[in-house]
Amino acid sequence: SSSGGGGSRRRMSAAANALATTESLKKGIAEFYDESSEVWERIWGDHMHHGFYEPGSDVSLSDHLAAQIRMIEESLRFASLSDLCKPVKNIVDVGCGIGGSSRYLARKFDAKCVGITLSPVQAKRAQELAAAQGLDGNVSFQVADALNQPFPDGHFDLVWSMESGEHMPDKAKFVGELARVVAPGGTIIIVTWCHRNLSPSEESLNPEEKALLDRICDAFYLPAWCSAADYVNLLQSLSLEDIKSADWSEFVAPFWPAVIKSALTWRGFTSLLRSGWKTIRGALVMPLMIQGYRKGVIKFAIITCRKP
């Protein structure tokens, strides 16, 4: 019987460790964005996500805002939201950054949108920008955990997660929460960084691929990655319908080289130096993102579905 106690103690300490790791991850993410959001906004504007480009295009910096808007529009189109008769009245933006998508979607659908982020700095800035754009009544932001959302079941017509899934330590719980808060007939859109799908004979990525992703994870406060196929399986397990996914890596390829180019301008460089070490560390691994895309280890995925 004494060994049983050891087993449960071990399990408890493993659970406690996992919890501590999750808490420190959440703290790291919040601090990373507290620190880096201002730099991003100064150089790149409202939208803290990839742009959608013509494959192989050479882009100048001025094209990026248009490309980021195109990313939002293409995502809606992929989810067939552009032609749905059912009106979108309530939206949640999960991992909202400084609220670029929230404000855009609220305007587009003439809807109410609430954005959640772990970063108090982002939530405050997002609200300021909404007020400045006269969207105070339609858009609100709060500090909340995507894995434990403060919303009732079936509340939103559109559940939007633009490049926040990669920060989630528990993908099953993340997807479960998205499915919980979406209304029957509502749409979930997940746009996220994934690793490549594994072939049937593979148990995991190879050691070289793993090492590359680990270095990126350390700098960007990312837990373990998963594949788009993993997301599809999770959505299927929750009986969601119209599940579709696509690899959009080729459409975002020009993005990281452009981010690096902007970091190398005097304005970018001085902003980085002012911002602090976490942001600088993030900037230093950007070339690894390019390498990951080139090698086909990193995939930029969209996964959408509907709740029956």
Side-chain angles (χ1 to χ4, degrees):
S1 71
S2 63
S3 68
S8 67
R9 256 202 309 282
R10 259 198 313 279
R11 272 196 302 279
M12 274 163 70
S13 86
N17 282 345
L19 190 66
T21 309
T22 302
E23 284 309 310
S24 84
L25 178 73
K26 273 163 53 176
K27 187 171 176 290
I29 293 168
E31 287 171 357
F32 176 70
Y33 283 111
D34 280 354
E35 192 186 273
S36 62
S37 292
E38 190 199 340
V39 180
W40 184 270
E41 187 188 348
R42 194 179 308 133
I43 299 173
W44 279 78
D46 273 19
H47 295 276
M48 299 184 75
H49 61 79
H50 282 62
F52 189 100
Y53 305 88
E54 285 304 308
S57 61
D58 182 42
V59 290
S60 72
L61 275 180
S62 56
D63 300 335
H64 291 299
L65 182 60
Q68 286 172 315
I69 297 299
R70 199 155 54 238
M71 173 62 75
I72 297 175
E73 287 293 346
E74 289 292 333
S75 302
L76 293 171
R77 201 173 63 160
F78 184 82
S80 315
L81 263 188
S82 29
D83 47 26
L84 271 191
C85 351
K86 189 176 180 299
V88 172
K89 284 295 156 218
N90 270 317
I91 303 169
V92 62
D93 183 357
V94 179
C96 59
I98 54 173
S101 291
S102 303
R103 290 186 294 276
Y104 185 86
L105 293 168
R107 256 197 219 99
K108 182 181 174 68
F109 291 108
D110 188 20
K112 292 259 188 279
C113 184
V114 53
I116 59 173
T117 170
L118 288 174
S119 160
V121 171
Q122 284 189 337
K124 181 169 173 287
R125 183 63 187 142
Q127 203 65 61
E128 288 167 7
L129 290 167
Q133 295 169 23
L135 287 169
D136 247 4
N138 289 46
V139 189
S140 63
F141 300 95
Q142 60 195 77
V143 175
D145 184 356
L147 301 185
N148 194 0
Q149 295 182 31
F151 308 118
D153 296 4
H155 192 61
F156 298 102
D157 308 312
L158 172 57
V159 172
W160 176 269
S161 168
M162 175 60 71
E163 294 187 53
S164 61
E166 56 269 21
H167 283 298
M168 307 299 168
D170 184 337
K171 303 294 192 267
K173 203 166 174 198
F174 168 55
V175 169
E177 274 295 85
L178 301 182
R180 179 182 73 75
V181 300
V182 71
T187 301
I188 298 173
I189 298 180
I190 303 167
V191 180
T192 187
W193 313 355
C194 290
H195 66 59
R196 64 177 175 79
N197 289 336
L198 300 174
S199 71
S201 61
E202 287 179 305
E203 287 293 299
S204 66
L205 295 171
N206 68 47
E208 186 197 347
E209 291 173 326
K210 273 191 182 138
L212 175 68
L213 295 186
D214 284 347
R215 285 171 64 194
I216 293 170
C217 289
D218 281 351
F220 285 140
Y221 295 90
L222 305 178
W225 296 51
C226 72
S227 66
D230 294 330
Y231 272 111
V232 168
N233 291 337
L234 286 170
L235 294 168
Q236 281 169 340
S237 73
L238 297 166
S239 309
L240 292 151
E241 292 177 352
D242 298 340
I243 302 170
K244 294 195 297 185
S245 82
D247 173 4
W248 279 3
S249 306
E250 63 170 337
F251 300 113
V252 301
F255 178 76
W256 285 100
V259 173
I260 290 171
K261 214 186 274 177
S262 68
L264 297 177
T265 59
W266 178 245
R267 187 177 173 188
F269 190 65
T270 50
S271 299
L272 268 179
L273 289 180
R274 267 209 307 273
S275 69
W277 174 238
K278 285 190 169 69
T279 313
I280 291 168
R281 217 174 61 155
L284 292 174
V285 299
M286 286 176 189
L288 297 181
M289 287 296 295
I290 297 177
Q291 206 181 331
Y293 277 128
R294 287 217 179 109
K295 291 187 162 157
V297 193
I298 298 178
K299 296 292 184 187
F300 189 90
I302 179 166
I303 307 105
T304 65
C305 65
R306 220 172 32 82
K307 189 174 188 169

